[in-house]
Amino acid sequence: MKKRGKLLVALVMVVMLVVGISLVYGGGEPEDVDEAYPTITWRFAHTGPPAHPYHVSAIAMKEYVEEQTQGNFTIELYDSSALGWERETLEGLQMGEIALTWTAAGPFAEFASAYDVFNLPFLFQSQEHMAKAINHPVTETLKDYAEDSGFYDLGRAGSAFRVPLTKDGPIQHPDDFRGMTFRPQPAPIFVETYEALGVEAVTTSFAELYSALQMGVVDGCENTPPSLVQMGFYEVTNHVTELPIMNAIAMLAVSKPLFDELPENYQQIILDAAEIAVETHEREMWSQVESYRAEMEDAGIEFTQPDPQPFIDATQGVRDKYLDRLSEQAPDLPDVVAGIEELAD
C-alpha cells in the first residue's frame, strides 16, 4: 500500500512538472521569443489618396515592420484624411492616439515653429537643390524642436514644388495675380506669401476646392502635380505656372510617447522602416511629378516658366519677416538657411 502510494505521488509530480514546462514554454516556444516581439498595433494616418506618395511609402513601411516582427507589430493605414486633417492628426500623435503620419511642413510648423524655415518662399532653386538639402546635416538641429513638441522627425521627403494652377490666363508677372481669388495652403506663411503677390487669399476647405474652382468661386490654387491630378483640380483650370515659390516637403513624424514606450529592438525596426519610407516617397514623388505633368499637358493645361526674380522681389518682405521672427525662437535658423543656400552651388 505504501509503495503504491509513493508511486502515485511520484506520478503526480511528473505530471505537474510536464504541465509546468508547457506553461513556461508554450508548447515548445521559449518565453523570450514572445518578449522580444510583443503584440503591438499602431495607426498610421495621412491626408493623401491611395495613389499618393504618402500612401505608397506608408505601405512599404508597414510591410517592412510586420515582416521584421513576424507579424506581431502591425500598422493600420488610414489614408485620405480618414482620421482627420493634418492638424487633427498631429494632435493625435501628441496624445498617443495615432502613431505615425506624413505631414506637410506648413501644418507641422504650427506645432514646431522652427520648421517654418522650410516654408520660406523661394528657399530652394530646384528639385535637385531641395533633395540635397532637406535631410542634409545642416538641417539636423531642427529635430530638437520637433522632439520638444511631442514628435520625432523620422525624415523628410517630397522634393517637389507646389505650383500655382489658375483658371484664366498665364502668370508671367506678379501683377497677373492681382485681384485673383486664390486658395493657398492655409498656413500663415503660405497665405502671406500669396497675398504679397497680390491675390485675395481664401481658406476654402480642400474637400470643397474642386467645386469652388468649377463654379468660379475660386480662381486658382497651388499644390504638387500629383495632388492637382489626383484631386481632379486640373479638370476645371487651364494654366500651371512653374515657379519654385513654395515647396512640398513632407515630414515623417512619429508620436514621441508611443515611440518611447517601444522596446529597443522595435525602435530600431521603426527607424530602419522610416528610411525605406523616405526613399520610397522620394522616388514616387519624382516619378509622379513627371508623369502627372505629362498627363496635364495632354489634357490641354498650359505650362509657363516666367522669370522668377520679380516674384522673389515681391515676396522678400515675407521671407525677411518670418526669418526674423523664427530666429527669436531658434537662433540657429539663419545658419540653417545659409547652409541650405550654399548647397545650391
Side-chain angles (χ1 to χ4, degrees), residues 197-251:
L197 292 171
V199 309
E200 179 187 341
V202 295
T203 57
T204 306
S205 75
F206 198 59
E208 297 173 348
L209 184 53
Y210 182 96
S211 60
L213 288 164
Q214 187 176 40
M215 293 185 295
V217 176
V218 174
D219 300 317
C221 63
E222 50 82 47
N223 217 309
T224 63
S227 291
L228 295 176
V229 172
Q230 290 166 8
M231 299 302 294
F233 299 148
Y234 77 111
E235 298 169 354
V236 289
T237 49
N238 301 301
H239 301 274
V240 166
T241 305
E242 293 186 307
L243 280 168
I245 305 174
M246 311 301 284
N247 63 72
I249 292 174
M251 328 300 304

Side-chain angles (χ1 to χ4, degrees), residues 13 86 113 115 120 139 146 174 177 231 241 245 267 301 306 344:
M13 292 178 67
E86 286 172 306
S113 60
Y115 279 78
L120 295 175
T139 65
F177 273 122
M231 299 302 294
T241 305
I245 305 174
Q267 289 182 348
I301 295 292

